[in-house]
Amino acid sequence: MRAEAIVDLSAIKHNVELLKNAAGTKLLAVVKADAYGHGLIPVAQAALSAGADYLGVALLEEAIALREAGIDAPILAWLVQPGSDFKKAIELDIEVAVASLAALKEISDASTSKKAKVHLEVDTGMSRGGFLGEWDSLTASHLVNVEIVGIFSHFARADEPDEKQNSDQMDRFNKMVARVHELGFTDVIRHLSNSAATLKNHAAAFDMVRTGIAMYGLSPDVITLGNSQSLGLRPAMQLRAALYLVKEVPAHTPVGYGATESTSADTKLGVIAMGYADGIPRIAHDAGIWFSGKKSPIIGRVSMDQFVVDLGAASKAKSGDWVVVFGNSSHGEYTADDWGAASHSINYEIVTRIGPRVPRIYSAHVY
Ligand SMILES: *Cc1c(COP(=O)(O)O)cnc(C)c1O
């Protein structure tokens, strides 16, 4: 084995329970993008067994994959393109988000005696998906051929709980919900909160929360909300790799493409057979690996299939030894947060981009 992402499903279950308690409402487990890189089906099953009420995905094909795996829990897909196979969604009992009158018409046309189940997505200030200008023209006649199950929106700044945009979005959401009630739909699931709002804005929980990143044990924003540990979350993924090669080099040896860095002293270099094709960001700097109680930083540029770390002259590491690329930091490893910061990005991007060449292994973490 060259590299593997070890996913601890008991951590996912712990996080789901923590979030569901924090919300005090129904919980939709967000499993889009292969469950943020953790593996769609095993994570969906773990989340449901820990009490999740709904599964949420972006794409219709992700929802279909869940049904094909035999999962019969409610599923919402919120980014279903025009021209999609809405008949299949209806047949498989997949609920879809609708954000325009055109989409509503398309879905209504696909409905038969079995109506499509839809959640109305409303734009309360993020200016991404959701009804905005067309909202005022929506009438009950647009809704006769569909079953309105829910209404939802999405926060733009939930990771900055004191920002006024959060309360503005809640006010707009309440008004848009009131209009749906006026149209005669009073029994709808209202949902607005992502992970950050679930943890920090209890008033926004409504009837259901949609939690993604926190379910994987990662903080929505380390700077504004604190890290996993301070939030009581357990990071589920540990990325580890076997050292491909260890070798001694003298001081002032240039390393990697462009010779962007050189060794500062006589040292040992470790070559790890993972690169940007596996989701290790090429730009990453100030991250690295952990081995036997010690961190070793990246030296030089990350290449497609490999990167090099400076192990230090005294290192006992040898080819074939396993090292931790990121983990839950309980032994001082780098975290997905560290890799995010080291790449001018966020933990979300680090875990979702771990490539398909890296097998996902379901077990407790190794160190
Ligand atoms: C991805 C997504 C979420 C989950 O957000 P987290 O910050 O990961 O909790 C919730 N709702 C929608 C609509 C999303 O696209």
Side-chain angles (χ1 to χ4, degrees):
M1 263 310 163
R2 162 185 77 104
E4 54 196 29
I6 299 178
V7 176
D8 182 353
L9 295 173
S10 73
I12 304 246
K13 289 182 191 168
H14 162 87
N15 300 327
V16 167
E17 284 164 11
L18 180 148
L19 291 162
K20 196 162 166 162
N21 280 335
T25 61
K26 283 185 200 282
L27 181 141
L28 176 149
V30 182
V31 292
K32 62 188 177 188
D34 199 27
Y36 290 42
H38 294 63
L40 177 66
I41 305 302
V43 168
Q45 285 165 338
L48 291 169
S49 77
D53 303 276
Y54 251 85
L55 297 172
V57 289
L59 310 183
L60 182 57
E61 46 271 43
E62 296 174 315
I64 292 170
L66 288 165
R67 284 286 181 258
E68 283 175 348
I71 291 174
D72 58 9
I75 301 174
L76 170 61
W78 52 69
L79 213 59
V80 182
Q81 297 296 311
S84 292
D85 190 349
F86 290 104
K87 287 199 181 305
K88 179 136 191 177
I90 296 168
E91 184 192 317
L92 293 177
D93 214 21
I94 293 165
E95 302 172 22
V96 296
V98 172
S100 70
L101 293 177
L104 203 45
K105 173 158 191 336
E106 199 181 348
I107 290 169
S108 299
D109 290 349
S111 292
T112 53
S113 55
K114 191 170 172 193
K115 290 183 181 179
K117 291 184 180 170
V118 310
H119 293 236
L120 297 168
E121 183 185 3
V122 294
D123 180 1
T124 53
M126 179 146 174
S127 309
R128 203 175 61 178
F131 275 97
L132 188 64
E134 281 185 338
W135 186 247
D136 293 330
S137 0
L138 181 74
T139 63
S141 66
H142 292 114
L143 305 174
V144 286
N145 278 328
V146 293
E147 184 184 335
I148 305 297
V149 178
I151 174 168
F152 76 103
S153 189
H154 195 54
F155 279 123
R157 307 188 71 175
D159 50 357
E160 301 162 287
D162 298 331
E163 281 295 331
K164 184 172 172 294
Q165 186 168 345
N166 292 302
S167 52
D168 288 348
Q169 286 198 247
M170 279 176 70
D171 291 345
R172 284 186 211 125
F173 187 62
N174 278 316
K175 290 201 183 91
M176 291 168 113
V177 168
R179 203 173 133 62
V180 169
H181 288 174
E182 277 160 32
L183 291 174
F185 303 93
T186 48
D187 187 19
V188 287
I189 305 174
R190 300 163 302 165
H191 47 111
L192 177 57
S193 290
N194 55 6
S195 294
T198 302
L199 292 163
K200 296 292 173 182
N201 186 357
H202 191 67
F206 292 95
D207 305 312
M208 181 159 81
V209 296
R210 303 184 305 269
T211 53
I213 197 76
M215 204 175 78
Y216 303 98
L218 300 177
S219 169
D221 188 319
V222 183
I223 313 257
T224 58
L225 305 181
N227 64 14
S228 305
Q229 205 184 0
S230 72
L231 294 167
L233 299 169
R234 283 172 50 192
M237 186 190 287
Q238 183 191 61
L239 183 64
R240 61 178 209 142
L243 280 168
Y244 168 69
L245 188 64
V246 175
K247 61 180 162 196
E248 291 180 25
V249 294
H252 312 300
T253 303
V255 182
Y257 284 122
T260 53
E261 270 191 285
S262 299
T263 54
S264 53
D266 295 358
T267 190
K268 284 182 187 161
L269 297 179
V271 181
I272 283 112
M274 286 184 93
Y276 58 78
D278 302 293
I280 302 294
R282 180 172 178 276
I283 196 177
H285 205 74
D286 293 332
I289 59 96
W290 176 97
F291 173 74
S292 185
K294 181 174 177 295
K295 279 176 173 166
S296 299
I298 299 176
I299 179 166
R301 280 192 188 139
V302 172
S303 355
M304 187 184 295
D305 314 294
Q306 37 192 321
F307 67 96
V308 180
V309 296
D310 186 347
L311 293 166
S315 177
K316 300 246 181 322
K318 52 188 191 321
S319 303
D321 282 341
W322 285 94
V323 302
V324 178
V325 179
F326 63 76
N328 62 14
S329 84
S330 58
H331 301 273
E333 312 93 302
Y334 289 98
T335 59
D337 303 335
D338 295 330
W339 276 91
S343 325
H344 309 295
S345 184
I346 49 176
N347 51 23
Y348 290 73
E349 188 170 352
I350 298 300
V351 290
T352 52
R353 295 184 74 168
I354 300 301
R357 299 200 299 195
V358 179
R360 273 63 171 175
I361 309 288
Y362 297 93
S363 97
H365 293 170
V366 178
Y367 297 98

